[in-house]
Amino acid sequence: MDDFYFEEEPQQTESSIDIKRYINAIVKKWWLWMGITVLIAGPWLMYVKNEKPIYEAQAVIQFKSYEGVDWGLLESRIQKLTSRTFAEKVVQELGLVMEMDPLEEDVPLSRKEIFRHFSASRRPVLGTYVIRFTEDDFILYRLLDDEGKKREKVYAGKIAEAQKDTVRVNGFEFLLAADDQALPEEVRFHIKDFRKTVKDFQQRIRVDYQPPGTLMTIKLQDTDPFLAALMTNRLAEIYVRESISLKGEKTRAQLQILKAQLEQAEKELAISNRELADFRRRNAVDLDAAATRQNTDLANAEQKKETLEEEKKTIRLLLDEAQKLLSGTGAEDEQQLSLEKRLFFKDFVRLEWFKDNPKMLVLKSRLEDLDARYEKAASLSTVNPEALKLAAELDALHQEIYQTAEGEIRKIDQEIRKLNNKIRSLEAKLARLPGKQMEYAELTRKNEKLVAIYQETLAKYQQAQLSAVAETEEIKILDPAIEPDRPVNSNKKIKAIAGVIGALMFGLGLVLLTEALNKSIKTPHDIKKHLRLNVLGTIPRVDFEDVFDFQDSEKLKMIDQQLVTHDYSPTPIGEAYRSLRTSIMFSKNVGRIQTLVITSMEPGDGKSFTSANLAITFAQQKSNTLLVDTDLRRGVLHNTFGVPKEPGFSNYLTSSIPIAELVNETHIPNLSLLSCGSLIPNPSELLGSHQMKRFLDEVRRRFDIVIFDTPPLNAATDAVVIGTQVDATIIVVRAGKTNRDTAKQKLELYEHVPAKVIGVVLNGTTPDLAHEGYSYYHY
């Protein structure tokens, strides 16, 4: 086309936001966001109102101080604390399978008001129980139906006895509260499934660490403040008790083994001392300096050989365990295996035997650095790329440590072979001694070896005793939990307000999202931004949508009532068309417009309605106006003005009927109408014919303004064909209906043809977007 014509104002970029459009969407769709707010906020307010108070208790456990943060150790402690084993013990000891009903709807009942103690087995009898209290007695029933009409008597006894002696029944046991408290007439409680209770308890445990990892905080929540504190303290007590017990068992087992070894070494040394003393008493034999030195060297060599063989045996056992971890066997869970393997190798490289191995010291440093980086990367997820990469590097490093330890065993084998050679050499030298001296040398050597074994075993035993004393102080409860005095969800007003605001924001956000996803053209700003065309006029919405599917005769009877009248009635729609007429007459850079094409993007946009009203406004200005219905497939203007459909424009194109015989005068002064005429099979070809050019030449001589009502662009290209032969083209779009992407696509039809699209008419807008002077008629 020749040109698109714009107003002289800054170009709108694609990224600019039409704030006014979104404000209008919020105003128009108030019912939507208001309804969403009510639908969400209503249930939320009911939930907040009926929400039970939640109390949180916390206890602090202190561990022996150490330098740095061992994330593997911290992780293992948390896994241990939140394990099913610990949870089962707490659930059993506190009887958490029991849940009490409130006395009244808004009157909660704490278990300490009824029970001084309550515990349960792993398999209690499930169901609802009722305790009925009299002055001195009580009866425990189990309900057999939901209504409580059928009940089974489970236990009956004296209140005073149940306050002193534990009552055991149906897999649970309890003690009633002290007699200085008034008991209600009836108490109802439920016994829940043990496994489900354990899982629920595990999910409620929260564990926090404070740097550098020596303090661990345990937090638990419950609707009963007494029970929250009781659960927290019991969990902490069990953890400390089990930790100390486990370490004590290991220490006691080690002490028993060392004590047995010490007693055996002491016994063997005593026997050796007696044998040596008896030999000296019976025989006046002694060794010279050389023989004594050889005997001592032999004893030391044998002792060193035994130590190396023991060291080799221990390293081999550890390497067998390492081989299981490296091959992925020996653990039920892959995540547990990963943690176990990391902890194993961290301890393995710290063994005393490797302190003089330079390569192992380097590997130890690399392992500590790599393990710390892995812990940091895996803190959020163990499957993120960085964590997976570091895990692969750790696996490779573990293999390298394993191979280095294998090399250490080979070094030990070499040392043992050297010692064997030395022992054989020394034995050969001592064999040349006389018989009594040789026997004395053997007894002396045996005694020296037993003395060394005894002293080494005694040192280990004493070290183990010191370790046992130190480990008893390694873990303790620093701050036990106390009964909380206020719930963590006490501020219901703020919670309710936050919920209402959240619901409101969600509703508004949904409206804004739907508006952002809506690609229909609604405002003049949309036309300038997306179509990059002038807005010649905005026409307010009329009752047009409801009649679009009616037959032409019925439809036009209703539409005719909306036309601008010939008596210049000052209506908003009349003023909108007069403003449109002015914009067309004084369009910049176009010149005088005598012939004008009006089209639209699709049916229903209001192009025929706009053509008729615009033609009337030109006629009212005393301009000799011709309105031509060139919608040769579905023309309707003949019904609008009550003139015959045939003969019409199509008959002129296919025959030589004079124009004067085809033009019909209308009831509007200065306005003539040329109807569409008979249906023809090839309207597009005829519109570009020489006959069409002759028609244009003649009507230009006879009329001041000629308006062509053409088919929509998505139905035919007739508007483009005629547009190349007239002075200007106007496109009608319907607010809230025309899709901007479709409009862009249809405008591409004008890119390579000599047609002048001078602007767009936005039809069906709201009054606030139409003529600014509308309010003048309603002040």
Side-chain angles (χ1 to χ4, degrees), residues 107-261:
V107 182
L109 182 63
S110 175
R111 68 156 58 193
K112 71 176 181 179
E113 299 176 17
I114 308 298
F115 301 105
R116 184 154 55 95
H117 165 75
F118 196 103
S119 60
S121 66
R122 292 173 177 268
R123 294 184 179 180
V125 179
L126 308 183
T128 302
Y129 292 81
V130 175
I131 303 180
R132 294 191 62 86
F133 294 99
T134 59
E135 186 174 352
D136 298 319
D137 304 321
F138 75 96
I139 303 176
L140 175 63
Y141 296 98
R142 178 172 175 266
L143 302 185
L144 302 178
D145 60 357
D146 296 335
E147 298 178 355
K149 295 181 179 179
K150 296 182 180 180
R151 56 180 61 186
E152 171 190 11
K153 184 177 179 181
V154 177
Y155 185 87
K158 297 289 185 180
I159 295 177
E161 294 178 358
Q163 291 171 339
K164 298 178 181 179
D165 300 326
T166 302
V167 177
R168 295 179 176 85
V169 61
N170 280 12
F172 57 88
E173 58 184 49
F174 60 87
L175 283 171
L176 292 179
D179 55 2
D180 57 346
Q181 298 184 19
L183 297 172
E185 294 183 359
E186 182 176 293
V187 173
R188 179 174 296 199
F189 62 90
H190 308 276
I191 299 297
K192 302 178 294 183
D193 180 73
F194 181 80
R195 289 189 176 182
K196 290 182 179 179
T197 305
V198 170
K199 290 182 179 179
D200 176 68
F201 181 76
Q202 286 180 276
Q203 294 173 355
R204 291 156 63 187
I205 300 173
R206 297 291 180 267
V207 182
D208 294 326
Y209 267 101
Q210 298 179 11
T214 58
L215 297 179
M216 179 172 68
T217 303
I218 305 172
K219 298 179 182 179
L220 278 168
Q221 294 183 348
D222 196 85
T223 55
D224 186 344
F226 168 76
L227 189 57
L230 187 62
M231 288 189 303
T232 306
N233 283 329
R234 191 58 54 88
L235 179 61
E237 291 168 2
I238 291 175
Y239 179 78
V240 172
R241 183 180 67 204
E242 293 294 326
S243 298
I244 294 176
S245 174
L246 180 61
K247 292 178 180 179
E249 289 178 3
K250 292 181 178 179
T251 304
R252 286 192 294 272
Q254 185 180 10
L255 283 172
Q256 288 177 357
I257 294 173
L258 290 173
K259 185 178 181 181
Q261 292 176 350

Side-chain angles (χ1 to χ4, degrees), residues 11 52 69 74 99 173 213 218 236 265-266 355 386 424 434 448 485 536 545 552 556 612 641 646 724 748-749 768:
Q11 295 287 341
K52 295 180 179 179
V69 179
L74 299 184
E99 183 180 19
E173 58 184 49
I218 305 172
E266 187 177 9
K355 68 178 182 178
E386 181 66 17
R424 284 193 295 270
E448 290 176 353
D485 55 358
L536 297 175
E545 297 173 352
D552 287 346
L556 270 298
F641 293 96
E646 301 175 9
T724 61
E748 292 176 0
L749 296 172
D768 60 318

